[in-house]
Amino acid sequence: MTASDAVTDALRELHARFAGMRGGERADYIPELTRADPDDFGLALVSMDGHCYSAGEADVPFTMQSVSKPFVYALALSSLGLDEVGRWVGAEPSGEAFNAISLEPRTGRPANAMVNAGAIVTTALVPGTPDLPAFDRILICLSRFAGRRLDVDEEVYVSEAATGDRNRALAYLIRSTGTLDVDPVAAVDTYFRQCSVRVTAVDLAVMAATLAHGGVNPITSESVVSPAVAAQVLAVMATCGMYNASGDWLLRVGLPAKSGVSGGLIAAGPARFGLATYSPLLDPAGTSVRGHAALGALSERLGLHLMRNPALPGSTVTLATTADVLPSAPASRQERALHERVGIVAAQGALDFTAAERVLYAMDESGPEQTGSVVLDLREVTGADSVALTLLHAGLARLAEDGRRAAVVDPGNRLGPPDLVRERTGQDLPRYSTREEAVERCAQALADPG
Ligand code: GLU
């Protein structure tokens, strides 16, 4: 956190703009929550590099309540896998309030893990042993997401345990209608404790950033859950995280999010940031009024809507031409004619599916004739994921099948180990450190096909 920078300024501005909002009520069905200071309003943002920015009461502790649900869902998914967890809890938005007493008619499954019924099932699925009871496992997991040791607010826990009959009713209903062998008393007790874990807005921003960062905590660098599990959790947050307001939230704010009745709210920009707000005054759907307003405004101002600009990469292909137009082209007409048959495609940046498709398209189009060669220049490529590599290898194999010679300028070995490249492309693909060398060899081979 720096004293002043553009991101902190944006958060401070939002704080100043919405701190005066007076609408909403503190949750009172858990009596201890009515003790929260209605003026508290904190905001925090954590980037994928672990830079942390905050404004207002971002260090005031409060209990997680339902914001714990996605993280415990992540733990259940990590322990049992999506198929097994999916047997017991669905992934459909319920369109109902957080504490609705409803289960899927045929299976008895709760609609999703973000409503209370689903969260109680998720909590019950977390395996416990005498050495490591389920709640300890949950607390360890939540702490790893936050990057520090969290604890339980015992007063809030006792307060919810004393008044939580509706959740107990849900747990008994789950046992009576479904086939899951839950102990309703134990499941609800663990669930109440998990809801009473104490955090700050900064903690929640780190936790959300960990989900956004493929399960790796950007502050501690610890891998808390796998990238697959992080993606599954974000997907369910996107469709179900805001209860019966989830559709409208995704429409207007456009970020996977989760709210809780103590006033915490998280949102995650996949591969971009984690955000959190804290303000205890809630709207009728159980979401923080100021948090909702602030995240909505921030999304608008910084263009964060997931669907608006799906991470359009900058230009991938920096050059798609033939070697005769390069400054290094030879002067003689005869040699130039050979260079005319050598296509050049240069790429830059990180290659994923979208970027690899552009490179392949340029390679297909390069060269005025199908018998020529192609030089693929990867010097400015910073990395390639496994999907991009598979596509590039397949594209190079296709070129060879079409009778076109390929050469790769690849001093950084972006194309992968030679054995793998040989196996995938069916050839010993020549790799060079300079473009001139690659062009020269291709031109020579064209001159002397034997
Ligand atoms: N502990 C709360 C309950 O079960 C969590 C609800 C929420 O935060 O939305 O009622």
Side-chain angles (χ1 to χ4, degrees):
M1 269 169 279
T2 51
S4 188
D5 57 75
V7 182
T8 306
D9 285 351
L11 296 180
R12 283 187 183 151
E13 221 176 284
L14 289 172
H15 184 270
R17 188 161 143 207
F18 296 113
M21 273 180 106
R22 283 278 162 266
E25 302 284 340
R26 282 168 295 197
D28 58 4
Y29 71 101
I30 301 173
E32 195 64 18
L33 295 184
T34 58
R35 293 161 56 101
D37 183 343
D39 290 331
D40 277 349
F41 181 29
L43 303 108
L45 182 151
V46 170
S47 75
M48 297 296 88
D49 302 315
H51 306 154
C52 182
Y53 306 89
S54 65
E57 283 75 38
D59 291 320
V60 168
F62 56 95
T63 54
M64 292 186 80
Q65 300 302 331
S66 281
V67 181
S68 63
K69 292 171 181 172
F71 302 100
V72 177
Y73 185 50
L75 177 58
L77 289 171
S78 296
S79 309
L80 304 173
L82 183 57
D83 289 344
E84 180 61 16
V85 172
R87 281 179 63 200
W88 308 110
V89 54
E92 295 301 335
S94 66
E96 291 177 320
F98 67 97
N99 56 2
I101 307 243
S102 73
L103 301 172
E104 205 172 67
R106 205 173 35 82
T107 62
R109 284 188 322 170
N112 63 68
M114 302 296 121
V115 292
N116 287 7
I120 292 168
V121 168
T122 311
T123 300
L125 287 174
V126 173
T129 57
D131 288 346
L132 192 59
F135 180 70
D136 293 6
R137 201 181 278 265
I138 289 172
L139 189 60
I140 290 169
C141 177
L142 294 174
S143 300
R144 291 171 72 203
F145 269 110
R148 73 175 184 96
R149 250 179 109 116
L150 301 176
D151 64 1
V152 171
D153 183 326
E154 293 294 339
E155 272 93 53
V156 173
Y157 161 70
V158 169
S159 181
E160 183 163 13
T163 56
D165 283 345
R166 194 177 171 97
N167 283 325
R168 278 190 200 94
L170 269 172
Y172 280 100
L173 189 68
I174 289 160
R175 190 172 64 170
S176 71
T177 57
T179 46
L180 182 64
D181 185 22
V182 284
D183 170 351
V185 175
V188 168
D189 187 68
T190 307
Y191 169 73
F192 289 156
R193 286 195 83 76
Q194 131 197 351
C195 287
S196 303
V197 170
R198 205 175 352 217
V199 289
T200 65
V202 168
D203 290 327
L204 286 189
V206 176
M207 297 177 86
T210 301
L211 286 177
H213 195 227
V216 177
N217 183 315
I219 307 272
T220 63
S221 301
E222 187 183 2
S223 171
V224 183
V225 292
S226 69
V229 164
Q232 288 158 0
V233 172
L234 289 175
V236 173
M237 283 168 64
T239 50
C240 312
M242 303 297 278
Y243 304 127
N244 40 336
S246 295
D248 194 65
W249 173 274
L250 189 59
L251 177 67
R252 291 175 199 278
V253 183
L255 292 170
K258 187 73 204 83
S259 62
V261 291
S262 55
L265 176 58
I266 58 170
R272 296 167 90 183
F273 55 80
L275 270 169
T277 58
Y278 169 60
S279 167
L281 299 177
L282 309 180
D283 67 18
T287 297
S288 165
V289 171
R290 292 188 192 117
H292 190 149
L295 291 191
L298 193 68
S299 170
E300 181 69 35
R301 174 167 162 186
L302 304 183
L304 306 180
H305 198 297
L306 212 56
M307 310 298 173
R308 180 146 134 195
N309 200 349
L312 276 180
S315 57
T316 306
V317 174
T318 51
L319 188 68
T321 186
T322 48
D324 58 307
V325 305
L326 296 179
S328 56
S332 94
R333 183 188 279 250
Q334 203 184 358
E335 278 184 274
R336 270 187 109 87
L338 286 174
H339 279 68
E340 220 177 274
R341 294 173 56 204
V342 179
I344 311 275
V345 172
Q348 68 174 6
L351 303 186
D352 60 1
F353 165 76
T354 314
E357 183 276 335
R358 291 178 167 155
V359 174
L360 292 183
Y361 187 87
M363 264 162 46
D364 267 353
E365 295 291 299
S366 71
E369 51 163 306
Q370 292 299 304
T371 55
S373 307
V374 181
V375 171
L376 177 60
D377 187 345
L378 299 178
R379 281 175 306 166
E380 300 298 323
V381 166
T382 51
D385 68 15
S386 60
V387 175
L389 278 187
T390 306
L391 285 174
L392 287 181
H393 295 154
L396 289 163
R398 277 269 279 286
L399 275 183
E401 279 165 28
D402 291 348
R404 297 177 78 190
R405 170 185 288 267
V408 184
V409 188
D410 190 17
N413 207 14
R414 300 292 179 218
L415 210 53
D419 285 354
L420 180 71
V421 177
R422 188 179 310 118
E423 185 192 313
R424 296 244 186 102
T425 65
Q427 57 185 309
D428 269 319
L429 200 68
R431 285 200 254 185
Y432 302 96
S433 357
T434 67
R435 187 191 287 169
E436 289 70 26
E437 203 186 342
V439 167
E440 209 39 58
R441 290 291 167 80
C442 283
Q444 271 168 20
L446 287 171
D448 179 14

